[in-house]
């Protein structure tokens, strides 16, 4: 039986991400987001029902970038760790075949999740009037209980 092992919630102002993209451009994008995340947030990619409207500067959907940024922060919180212990690329936010967001862990985040007994990482993204947010639930079987 699976149990909730961690919950993370984060909000970010969309304008904060727009400012970072305007100031640091590709350097910021490649430091924080994976190539797949960057491609998913480009304005010129085909959209799916429910996708944020193309807005912002630099050829990106700012709300989508901000929601992914918030999701990464929420993953770190759900795992009980933060930056710089976990890297930005250790949590990748992608869309499944139906367009639903999902988290792919790698590197230190994947190792930590295994250590904690995390099997599933569920994510929900939202945005409204200049804010983007994400909630993450990490579930599995507690490593402490597994040892019992």
């Amino acid at each position: 039986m699976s149990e909730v092992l961690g919950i993370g919630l984060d909000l970010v102002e969309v304008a904060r991400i727009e400012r970072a993209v305007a100031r640091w451009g590709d350097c910021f994008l490649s430091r924080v987001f994976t190539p797949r995340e960057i491609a998913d947030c480009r304005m010129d990619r085909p959209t799916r029902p429910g996708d944020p409207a193309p807005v912002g500067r630099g050829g990106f959907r700012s709300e989508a970038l901000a929601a992914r940024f918030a999701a990464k922060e929420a993953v770190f919180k759900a795992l009980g760790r933060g930056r710089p212990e976990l890297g930005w690329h250790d949590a990748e936010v992608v869309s499944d075949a139906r367009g639903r967001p999902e988290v792919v862990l790698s590197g230190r985040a994947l190792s930590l999740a295994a250590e904690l007994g995390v099997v599933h990482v569920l994510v929900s993204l939202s945005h409204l009037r200049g804010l983007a947010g994400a909630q993450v639930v990490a579930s599995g079987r507690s490593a402490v209980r597994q040892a019992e």
Side-chain angles (χ1 to χ4, degrees):
M1 182 172 178
S2 200
E3 63 183 281
V4 173
L5 301 176
I7 298 173
L9 175 68
D10 196 68
L11 293 173
V12 65
E13 291 177 296
V14 174
R16 176 179 168 208
I17 301 303
E18 288 178 340
R19 285 192 303 271
V21 171
R23 184 171 181 185
W24 292 294
D26 288 342
C27 182
F28 169 76
L29 291 170
S30 63
R31 180 174 181 214
V32 175
F33 302 102
T34 67
R36 186 171 171 188
E37 288 171 318
I38 293 168
D40 282 351
C41 293
R42 287 203 181 276
M43 281 202 252
D44 58 357
R45 77 155 177 83
T47 59
R48 294 179 296 261
D51 276 353
V55 296
R57 301 178 206 80
F60 295 96
R61 294 173 303 117
S62 303
E63 289 176 337
L65 285 172
R68 281 161 175 75
F69 185 92
K72 290 169 182 279
E73 292 279 2
V75 167
F76 300 157
K77 292 173 183 177
L79 295 176
R81 299 294 193 282
R83 298 260 320 129
E85 187 175 341
L86 299 176
W88 290 115
H89 289 206
D90 289 348
E92 182 180 39
V93 182
V94 299
S95 297
D96 70 10
R98 296 160 87 182
R100 295 179 301 194
E102 61 183 13
V103 174
V104 177
L105 299 178
S106 62
R108 293 174 291 196
L110 181 60
S111 299
L112 178 59
E115 180 183 315
L116 296 171
V118 173
V119 176
H120 303 286
V121 178
L122 306 172
V123 63
S124 178
L125 307 176
S126 189
H127 46 82
L128 178 68
R129 294 189 198 131
L131 287 176
Q135 181 173 8
V136 169
V137 176
S139 66
R141 187 162 163 89
S142 172
V144 173
R145 290 202 178 162
Q146 289 176 11
E148 295 175 354

